[in-house]
Amino acid sequence: MTTGDEERRGRILILGLPYFGKMLAGDLSSLGWRAEFLPHPGRSAGGWARVAKAAARADIVYLIGSRIDRTSPQDRLLRLRRRPVVIHWVGTDVQIAVEEHRRDNGSLRVAERPSHWCDAPWLVEELRTIGVVSEYVPLPIPVETAPAPPLPEAFSVLLYYPVDAFDREVFDIETMLRLPGEFPGVRFTLIPSPAETLPQPLPPNLEARAWVEDMDALYRETTAVVRLTSHDGQSFMVAEALSRGRYVIWTHPMPGCMRAEGFDQVAKALRGLLKKHEEGSLKVNSSGRRVVLDRFGKGRPLGELDERLRGLLT
């Protein structure tokens, strides 16, 4: 037997980006939703049949990331479905949607019928330029609420550069690989791309690591995180680092971060942090930690999602 709350919560099918989708399915299930994540079926006819069957059963279909073109699976879904559909835009998908709109290849069904949410405020503005009305709704991020660990004794910088070639297109790898040479006494770590996938030779003070399981340990060894992207959504890594009192240099406007782009600006920001470190005056980034805990702590995003999703069923 289910409680009244469980009945109102109902069944959700989550599709889209696996990392976010699996995490969100677990979070929503903990609240009583019957949440299921299914991966992209690729060329599998059986996989598509499974998705179609699950979509027919679901009270809500929840897409994390989407396409907007007329031949997209999302358009085909909306031709048949009359119950609620949510699209949660998270970054590069918005960039692609804007390009499809420029080509006059946008689907009105995808643009107008779902509930459109964005995980970063600037994505709302981007979608508005192509006539898609959306709201800023943050995704739950597992931030660290325990007291921030002290900064490491040795000043160190963490860089992020994805493995997938498509994802790499928006990252400024040229600047990232120039930074170690500008700061030869600083240790740089780049994740999650193995060394053999990067331009050679690598600077001697740059260590490239593959996928890291224990990110908490790595954050403890890190003074500053540098994320350089021409387009982005809300980075989980940025929020995770800020919640641990680390400094973050990012190309996008988030309170608590140092905003910089291009080699000169990023090097200047790092130089300022390093100077304070050498003087012994660099403390944990308490202001950045407060910002991210206020926004993502105490289950706030999950609570807002729960309320919004329940509202779709009324």
Side-chain angles (χ1 to χ4, degrees):
M1 174 177 285
T2 61
T3 67
D5 282 354
E6 288 172 333
E7 290 171 358
R8 285 197 297 273
R9 280 179 167 90
R11 187 187 299 273
I12 294 185
L13 172 64
I14 302 174
L15 304 170
L17 298 175
Y19 178 78
F20 303 115
K22 293 175 183 177
M23 186 180 300
L24 185 59
D27 288 341
L28 292 176
S29 295
S30 71
L31 297 179
W33 289 93
R34 286 165 289 169
E36 177 185 22
F37 171 77
L38 290 180
H40 194 287
R43 297 179 179 274
S44 169
W48 282 108
R50 184 182 176 202
V51 168
K53 183 177 180 181
R57 292 197 310 265
D59 299 300
I60 299 172
V61 173
Y62 193 127
L63 308 174
I64 303 183
S66 183
R67 287 167 50 188
I68 203 170
D69 52 285
R70 295 190 186 111
T71 59
S72 64
Q74 290 83 354
D75 179 84
R76 293 195 293 274
L77 169 70
L78 289 163
R79 288 174 187 265
L80 303 173
R81 185 171 175 82
R82 294 296 176 263
R83 286 187 286 175
V85 174
V86 172
I87 295 179
H88 213 138
W89 301 87
V90 293
T92 307
D93 52 351
V94 175
Q95 188 177 33
I96 296 169
V98 170
E99 184 58 34
E100 293 293 348
H101 178 78
R102 288 181 184 145
R103 295 173 181 164
D104 195 26
N105 190 33
S107 161
L108 283 178
R109 290 185 189 86
V110 180
E112 296 179 355
R113 287 190 38 204
S115 298
H116 291 281
W117 301 340
C118 295
D119 81 335
W122 55 86
L123 299 180
V124 175
E125 300 305 316
E126 288 184 55
L127 286 176
R128 184 174 288 122
T129 66
I130 63 171
V132 176
V133 178
S134 63
E135 297 178 89
Y136 168 51
V137 181
L139 283 166
I141 297 179
V143 294
E144 180 56 66
T145 57
L151 296 175
E153 291 186 11
F155 190 91
S156 60
V157 177
L158 179 60
L159 308 171
Y160 182 84
Y161 188 56
V163 177
D164 185 81
F166 176 79
D167 294 335
R168 284 181 170 186
E169 291 180 5
V170 298
F171 282 80
D172 184 2
I173 186 60
E174 180 181 347
T175 292
M176 284 190 273
L177 292 182
R178 284 181 64 190
L179 290 172
E182 183 73 8
F183 300 92
V186 172
R187 178 170 58 86
F188 288 78
T189 303
L190 184 149
I191 62 171
S193 291
E196 60 269 19
T197 70
L198 302 172
Q200 302 292 323
L202 295 180
N205 56 328
L206 172 63
E207 178 189 6
R209 298 189 192 178
W211 188 260
V212 176
E213 292 292 340
D214 188 359
M215 284 298 297
D216 184 68
L218 185 55
Y219 286 131
R220 288 175 180 273
E221 301 170 1
T222 297
T223 308
V225 171
V226 175
R227 183 177 175 95
L228 304 178
T229 51
S230 59
H231 193 277
D232 220 337
Q234 174 59 61
S235 164
F236 276 40
M237 186 175 183
V238 164
E240 290 166 357
L242 289 174
S243 74
R244 291 164 170 83
R246 273 42 193 164
Y247 291 86
V248 176
I249 300 171
W250 194 16
T251 42
H252 291 272
M254 179 175 177
C257 295
M258 305 172 71
R259 189 178 183 187
E261 60 182 305
F263 177 79
D264 291 340
Q265 290 184 17
V266 176
K268 181 180 179 181
L270 274 178
R271 200 171 290 116
L273 292 175
L274 180 58
K275 183 174 184 294
K276 289 183 178 180
H277 171 82
E278 292 172 342
E279 294 170 348
S281 62
L282 189 67
K283 308 301 181 184
V284 297
N285 181 6
S286 298
S287 61
R289 174 175 160 80
R290 282 195 299 271
V291 166
V292 82
L293 291 183
D294 285 345
R295 185 176 298 185
F296 299 106
K298 297 182 179 179
R300 288 187 182 91
L302 183 59
E304 180 181 354
L305 275 181
D306 181 44
E307 184 177 348
R308 285 176 174 272
L309 291 168
R310 291 172 70 176
L312 293 178
L313 299 183
T314 57

